[in-house]
Amino acid sequence: MPHTPAEKKRALARVRRIRGQLDALESALEQGVECGPVLQQLAAVRGAVNGLMSSVLESHLREEFSSPPHPDAPEQRNIDDIISLMRSYFR
């Protein structure tokens, strides 16, 4: 989840743009548009979703891994934890 109001505003704007892209894709499919433009629109949607996920993941990583650990928290997370987290999101 984006942590600052500015990050939240940017994330919501991206979601709205993605919704618009999906609406255009739906319309193209309903109208029977040729495969080339549909595939191009699908690639654009995928890119937009990946961009949003990347942005939210970056925010999460900065929040979770850049601050010093709390005294009562388990030992600080290491690079293996970060790699595992990233792999789980990019399957």
Side-chain angles (χ1 to χ4, degrees):
M1 176 66 190
H3 298 286
T4 67
E7 288 175 340
K8 183 177 180 179
K9 184 177 179 178
R10 282 192 299 272
L12 287 171
R14 281 182 158 207
V15 168
R16 290 180 184 116
R17 281 193 301 273
I18 292 167
R19 184 181 302 130
Q21 288 176 310
L22 286 171
D23 289 345
L25 177 61
E26 180 181 17
S27 176
L29 290 170
E30 287 175 344
Q31 294 174 13
V33 173
E34 292 187 27
C35 292
V38 169
L39 289 168
Q40 188 173 24
Q41 186 65 29
L42 282 167
V45 169
R46 181 181 61 194
V49 170
N50 286 343
L52 175 61
M53 184 167 59
S54 175
S55 174
V56 172
L57 180 58
E58 179 183 344
S59 176
H60 173 69
L61 291 173
R62 289 186 186 281
E63 179 72 21
E64 289 294 317
F65 297 104
S66 66
S67 59
H70 299 290
D72 59 340
E75 63 184 68
Q76 187 172 3
R77 296 180 182 180
N78 61 28
I79 190 68
D80 293 330
D81 294 330
I82 296 171
I83 290 169
S84 175
L85 177 67
M86 291 183 69
R87 283 184 181 156
S88 72
Y89 286 112
F90 290 108
R91 286 186 193 174

